[in-house]
Amino acid sequence: MLGIALTLPSVQTEIGKYVTNELNKKYKTNINVEQVSLTVFGGVKLKKVLILDHHKDTLIYANRIKTSILDFDKLMNVDLIFGEIAADGLYFNMKTYKNEKLTNLDKFVAAFDTGAPPSDEHFLMTATKVKIKNGHYSLIDENRQDPIDVDFTKINLTATALRIYGPEVSTTINKLSFQDHRGIFVEDLSSKFSYTQKHIKLENLDLITKESKVKGSIVMNYEIEDFEDFTDKVEFDVKLEKASIASNDIRFFYDELGKNQFFKIKGRIKGPLNNLVLSNFKLNDSKNSQINGTLNFKNLFPSKGKEFFMNARFNRLSTNYDDLVTILPNVLGKTLPVILKKLGTINFVGDAQVTTTSLDASFAMSSQIGNVKSDLILKNMDLTDKASYVGNVVLDNCDIGAFVDRKDIGKTSLNLDVNGKGFSEKSLNTSLKGIVNSITFNNYTYSNIDLNGNFVSGLYKGQVKANDPNLKMYFDGFVDLSKKSNIYNFQINVENANLKKLNFVKDNISKFEGDINVDLSGNTIDNLVGDVFVKHATYHNTKATYSIDEFYINS
């Protein structure tokens, strides 16, 4: 009769309630099971399982749980050794309450570490296999301004080798899908998973979303109190063996990225979110921009008073203005000078420190308008007219005219020390010292020119020494090309000037040498107005050769 009675669901339920009540009394827990069904082979079916935490809120709830108990002897010591566990409608609500440091799970598990069990033993639960259908997992910390760390719904899971020992959890996730509260849906995830009070690990990770695929590993290292300052203290260690990531997925976590961008990535990412170091990093986007190097990003999620900062060593950077602005429309779209669009696709090798308003770089770069080598510090780069810069610039066959919108200036090769401000012709105020190997002006290419002077809004003031085949001279003064009528005020010693080949006159022969003081205005030789004082001069044209000891012209 007793055996028959034990097979009745009502009797089994009462036995289950008795067991849970004894557990609740002994360990001061709050475990409730509406219905229990047992089989002689150790099978267990539980209906409407509810475990409340120390604040009488839900810790764990399940509509149905089906399992088998593999070791009844250990069950008496609160060691739960299960075979397969299948749970439907499982809700796991992991929470740290206001003004508390431990989670409700830590508190629940700690209850089994006091009283009858020896103090050096911990709560133990194992399962050979776990299946969860339509699950829900949340991780909440009420001590933070944004309390929700994780809120996964629509969880469907198949896992093996589950082990819960005290506050530590480990399992092999064979297949997992879920909806994240930020909006992203993970279609398939597999990994070797572990959780402790010091870390969360997802090793041998394979992850698939609608638009992304990731293969690698993710580790989060922390102290429990670090979650109060998650972006600055929780340390990530992410190894990306192979990843194809859509910006639409990243935007759920960092919405400064542009939409509908795709990146192929390899490398390692370490550090908290506000101090990430990307090492051995390789990225290719859908528009053929490339990054290969080591990068350090700071303040991606800046608090008040802090600003974005990037420190990078690029083995290769290939991109263009439009692609950069598309990738980070708000961060770079509002700060990069539009004039950089004229560079076209750039190929960059070197070091750079970048903020939203400054650049400190040592690099070599090829572009649509020519090649550049530079050690340069640039400030206020978000303001075209107020940008300041200092450093050394080497240009190789660069089309300066195209860059500053001057049709009379062509390709240039030079090596100059620069110190100034402004990018536009109106705002330009720059001191220059060095050598111009070649520069095309007025359809003639000059060579071997030494400069030591200052450009201010189309005006050059300083010294120029030219050792060109068609112009050997020393210049001291200024030339102002900023107005409708050019202004010339300088002293010049000319050893040789072939005015025909320099495209200043149309005569077949026009050569000059001598000393000149000039105070003129005008755009061509036909409309020049002012004074010219000439001495020790010789002028040769098709008609004759003229020698001048001293000569004064006023027009």
Side-chain angles (χ1 to χ4, degrees):
M1 292 295 292
L2 179 61
I4 295 173
L6 290 175
T7 63
L8 297 175
S10 59
V11 174
Q12 294 175 352
T13 297
E14 288 303 317
I15 294 173
K17 288 182 178 180
Y18 172 80
V19 173
T20 56
N21 287 336
E22 288 300 308
L23 287 173
N24 291 336
K25 288 179 183 179
K26 188 173 184 178
Y27 299 107
K28 296 181 181 181
T29 56
N30 200 327
I31 304 171
N32 296 282
V33 181
E34 183 178 289
Q35 184 176 326
V36 179
S37 177
L38 305 172
T39 71
V40 295
F41 301 106
V44 180
K45 293 182 181 179
L46 308 177
K47 184 178 180 181
K48 296 190 182 303
V49 178
L50 175 63
I51 301 176
L52 300 180
D53 63 19
H54 58 295
H55 283 270
K56 307 303 181 185
D57 193 7
T58 301
L59 172 61
I60 297 174
Y61 173 81
N63 285 330
R64 296 178 186 275
I65 297 177
K66 181 181 178 181
T67 187
S68 58
I69 299 172
L70 299 183
D71 195 326
F72 280 92
D73 291 335
K74 290 188 177 181
L75 181 63
M76 301 308 295
N77 292 322
V78 201
D79 287 346
L80 307 180
I81 311 301
F82 298 115
E84 180 177 328
I85 298 177
D88 178 50
L90 177 67
Y91 176 36
F92 186 6
N93 179 35
M94 196 169 168
K95 183 185 295 186
T96 303
Y97 286 93
K98 191 75 173 178
N99 300 320
E100 295 183 10
K101 292 186 177 181
L102 296 178
T103 68
N104 54 359
L105 176 62
D106 295 327
K107 292 275 191 178
F108 176 76
V109 170
F112 294 93
D113 291 336
T114 62
S119 59
D120 59 347
E121 294 184 3
H122 298 284
F123 171 81
L124 174 66
M125 186 182 96
T126 66
T128 58
K129 189 173 184 180
V130 178
K131 289 184 178 181
I132 297 175
K133 182 179 179 182
N134 195 27
H136 182 187
Y137 170 70
S138 59
L139 178 61
I140 298 170
D141 187 344
E142 294 182 345
N143 296 292
R144 297 193 292 110
Q145 184 176 356
D146 186 4
I148 301 176
D149 289 321
V150 176
D151 190 4
F152 296 160
T153 57
K154 300 180 181 178
I155 296 175
N156 290 287
L157 167 71
T158 301
T160 53
L162 171 66
R163 186 176 189 270
I164 302 175
Y165 185 63
E168 299 181 359
V169 181
S170 63
T171 188
T172 298
I173 300 172
N174 300 307
K175 187 174 180 63
L176 169 64
S177 62
F178 60 87
Q179 178 76 54
D180 180 74
H181 71 284
R182 300 171 186 85
I184 189 172
F185 181 74
V186 175
E187 296 179 353
D188 189 12
L189 183 152
S190 62
S191 176
K192 184 179 179 181
F193 171 82
S194 64
Y195 164 84
T196 72
Q197 293 178 323
K198 298 288 187 180
H199 72 248
I200 296 174
K201 293 183 179 180
L202 288 163
E203 300 173 290
N204 302 322
L205 173 68
D206 279 292
L207 182 149
I208 299 173
T209 71
K210 182 179 179 180
E211 298 185 87
S212 302
K213 293 182 179 180
V214 176
K215 184 178 181 63
S217 66
I218 300 174
V219 177
M220 293 169 56
N221 295 306
Y222 50 81
E223 300 293 335
I224 293 298
E225 57 269 22
D226 290 345
F227 283 92
E228 297 177 14
D229 193 6
F230 184 85
T231 57
D232 289 317
K233 291 187 176 180
V234 176
E235 298 269 348
F236 285 81
D237 187 353
V238 180
K239 297 178 182 178
L240 298 174
E241 298 173 14
K242 184 178 181 182
S244 177
I245 300 177
S247 64
N248 293 342
D249 287 339
I250 302 174
R251 279 175 55 83
F252 289 115
F253 305 91
Y254 181 65
D255 61 6
E256 294 296 348
L257 278 179
K259 298 178 180 178
N260 302 317
Q261 308 301 305
F262 297 91
F263 309 97
K264 292 184 178 180
I265 304 174
K266 290 183 179 181
R268 188 171 187 177
I269 305 172
K270 293 188 69 176
L273 293 177
N274 274 337
N275 192 10
L276 288 175
V277 177
L278 287 60
S279 56
N280 298 318
F281 189 75
K282 296 180 181 180
L283 179 148
N284 294 272
D285 77 358
S286 50
K287 296 183 179 179
N288 294 321
S289 284
Q290 299 178 35
I291 297 175
N292 184 337
T294 298
L295 301 89
N296 176 206
F297 290 99
K298 293 185 177 181
N299 301 319
L300 287 171
F301 303 89
S303 55
K304 188 175 181 180
K306 296 182 179 180
E307 67 173 357
F308 168 82
F309 174 78
M310 180 189 76
N311 184 12
R313 171 159 289 180
F314 294 105
N315 299 322
R316 176 180 173 84
L317 168 62
S318 179
T319 189
N320 58 69
Y321 175 89
D322 289 333
D323 201 9
L324 289 173
V325 170
T326 300
I327 293 171
L328 291 167
N330 293 321
V331 176
L332 297 179
K334 296 179 181 179
T335 59
L336 284 181
V338 178
I339 195 171
L340 297 180
K341 192 171 185 177
K342 296 178 181 180
L343 296 176
T345 296
I346 64 168
N347 292 290
F348 181 106
V349 177
D351 301 333
Q353 292 79 47
V354 182
T355 72
T356 55
T357 60
S358 67
L359 169 69
D360 185 348
S362 176
F363 64 91
M365 181 182 76
S366 63
S367 74
Q368 179 175 286
I369 66 169
N371 302 321
V372 181
K373 288 184 178 180
S374 181
D375 289 298
L376 186 67
I377 297 174
L378 173 63
K379 298 180 179 179
N380 298 320
M381 68 180 186
D382 54 325
L383 304 172
T384 300
D385 291 341
K386 295 182 179 181
S388 64
Y389 37 86
V390 61
N392 174 260
V393 178
V394 178
L395 304 184
D396 180 17
N397 208 31
C398 283
D399 193 344
I400 298 297
F403 192 66
V404 298
D405 291 323
R406 287 288 302 271
K407 293 182 179 179
D408 55 341
I409 300 176
K411 294 184 176 181
T412 304
S413 296
L414 54 78
N415 186 335
L416 297 178
D417 293 326
V418 299
N419 190 346
K421 68 177 184 178
F423 284 116
S424 66
E425 182 177 345
K426 181 180 178 181
S427 64
L428 189 67
N429 185 353
T430 303
S431 66
L432 301 173
K433 185 176 182 180
I435 184 169
V436 179
N437 304 104
S438 65
I439 181 170
T440 298
F441 174 73
N442 196 27
N443 292 319
Y444 177 79
T445 300
Y446 295 82
S447 61
N448 301 319
I449 300 173
D450 291 327
L451 294 180
N452 186 5
N454 193 65
F455 278 103
V456 180
S457 302
L459 179 150
Y460 177 78
K461 184 178 181 180
Q463 295 80 45
V464 179
K465 182 179 181 180
N467 191 23
D468 181 84
N470 293 299
L471 180 63
K472 297 182 185 298
M473 64 94 182
Y474 178 78
F475 167 101
D476 187 6
F478 73 84
V479 175
D480 187 353
L481 306 178
S482 64
K483 300 177 176 60
K484 287 185 178 180
S485 180
N486 299 335
I487 298 175
Y488 307 91
N489 191 320
F490 54 81
Q491 296 176 349
I492 184 169
N493 172 256
V494 181
E495 294 184 22
N496 173 46
N498 191 326
L499 302 179
K500 164 63 177 176
K501 291 190 176 181
L502 297 177
N503 295 321
F504 284 108
V505 297
K506 296 181 180 180
D507 293 348
N508 290 331
I509 299 175
S510 182
K511 295 181 179 181
F512 176 84
E513 61 183 60
D515 297 326
I516 307 173
N517 289 342
V518 175
D519 186 4
L520 293 172
S521 63
N523 297 321
T524 69
I525 198 168
D526 298 321
N527 67 2
L528 288 173
V529 176
D531 300 316
V532 177
F533 181 71
V534 182
K535 63 180 181 179
H536 309 308
T538 300
Y539 177 71
H540 178 63
N541 63 15
T542 54
K543 295 180 180 179
T545 298
Y546 306 92
S547 296
I548 305 170
D549 288 332
E550 291 186 357
F551 188 71
Y552 173 75
I553 302 174
N554 176 266
S555 63

